[in-house]
Amino acid sequence: MNKSAKQTIALASIFQSSALVHQLAISGKCDSHTNKASLNSIVSSSDSIDEIFTSPEDLKIGFDSLKLILEKKTIEMHNVMVYATALINLEKKLMKKPQLLTQISAEIDHLKKQDFFDVHHTNSIARLAELYKNTIGSLNPTIMVRGEQIYLTNRNTANHIRALLLAGIRAVSLWKSQGGKTWHLLLNKKKTLRYVNSLDA
């Protein structure tokens, strides 16, 4: 797999976390398979994008979202684009806070050692949400999630949204480790879209 393909996969993982957050905010639920894949990426010990996401199905929501945005169907993807951009900016700020990085790393290592809960369990999601709130949530500007108040004020849904935002930060880190840069979103559109379309072939 070439560098461009790995960048596109990592970029799709950013948009997937953002799209799943959007789904939760407006409906209180999200796609099950891709949700598990995104949450699993937080506790994955690998830094290889093709080992973390082993199948295009793991990132189906991400690829679908990326395709819509690249095809300029931006009205329906407005919130997803806002969240993805905010995650990229927050990750940049996080990299300048070594204490927060150490805290996040230690808590995730602790979570990995739990045999009694998997990462999709309500308790694990609550811990990831608390970790996000106490670390990335302290950085400004915070991500303002828009949706239905009935879902946003539900404790479990709010926890799930924060856990997926943490997955989004992990995705940005992976994207940057593959050489991803913000200007690629503008200049590499055709190349990215060509790869995404090839997955449907």
Side-chain angles (χ1 to χ4, degrees):
M1 188 181 292
N2 63 34
K3 191 173 184 179
S4 177
K6 289 182 179 181
Q7 277 183 18
T8 304
I9 291 170
L11 187 60
S13 68
I14 300 172
F15 281 96
Q16 177 157 293
S17 295
S18 302
L20 292 171
V21 163
H22 179 60
Q23 286 181 6
L24 282 168
I26 63 169
S27 70
K29 55 189 178 182
C30 66
D31 181 76
S32 176
H33 180 80
T34 53
N35 169 62
K36 286 183 178 181
S38 287
L39 290 176
N40 277 333
S41 72
I42 301 173
V43 294
S44 173
S45 52
S46 176
D47 284 323
S48 173
I49 191 74
D50 45 344
E51 287 179 11
I52 295 170
F53 300 105
T54 55
S55 160
E57 286 301 308
D58 289 347
L59 286 169
K60 185 179 187 318
I61 297 295
F63 285 126
D64 287 350
S65 300
L66 194 51
K67 186 175 180 180
L68 283 170
I69 285 165
L70 293 171
E71 290 175 343
K72 298 183 179 177
K73 295 178 181 176
T74 49
I75 294 174
E76 60 192 282
M77 299 303 293
H78 174 75
N79 285 345
V80 175
M81 190 70 197
V82 168
Y83 302 151
T85 306
L87 285 167
I88 291 169
N89 291 332
L90 274 180
E91 192 270 352
K92 190 186 297 181
K93 292 183 178 182
L94 179 63
M95 290 301 111
K96 297 174 183 175
K97 304 281 186 182
Q99 283 182 310
L100 293 184
L101 286 168
T102 301
Q103 186 179 342
I104 291 169
S105 181
E107 178 63 15
I108 288 171
D109 283 344
H110 188 67
L111 200 62
K112 284 180 192 174
K113 292 170 185 172
Q114 285 188 169
D115 293 327
F116 45 96
F117 293 138
D118 65 26
V119 74
H120 325 117
H121 191 280
T122 307
N123 289 13
S124 297
I125 287 174
R127 284 184 63 175
L128 290 172
E130 193 66 16
L131 177 60
Y132 178 89
K133 188 177 176 182
N134 293 335
T135 55
I136 298 154
S138 67
L139 302 174
N140 285 313
T142 55
I143 297 178
M144 299 299 292
V145 176
R146 300 180 185 279
E148 299 294 331
Q149 280 304 111
I150 190 172
Y151 305 123
L152 295 176
T153 54
N154 178 283
R155 186 177 171 186
N156 287 338
T157 305
N159 283 342
H160 200 162
I161 284 171
R162 288 192 179 103
L164 283 168
L165 289 174
L166 187 60
I169 293 289
R170 163 74 157 146
V172 175
S173 182
L174 285 169
W175 179 58
K176 289 190 174 177
S177 75
Q178 300 301 325
K181 298 185 187 304
T182 308
W183 57 265
H184 288 167
L185 293 172
L186 298 172
L187 299 185
N188 289 357
K189 279 185 178 181
K190 286 185 179 178
K191 187 188 290 184
T192 303
L193 189 57
R194 196 159 51 242
Y195 178 77
V196 173
N197 284 333
S198 75
L199 298 172
D200 296 329

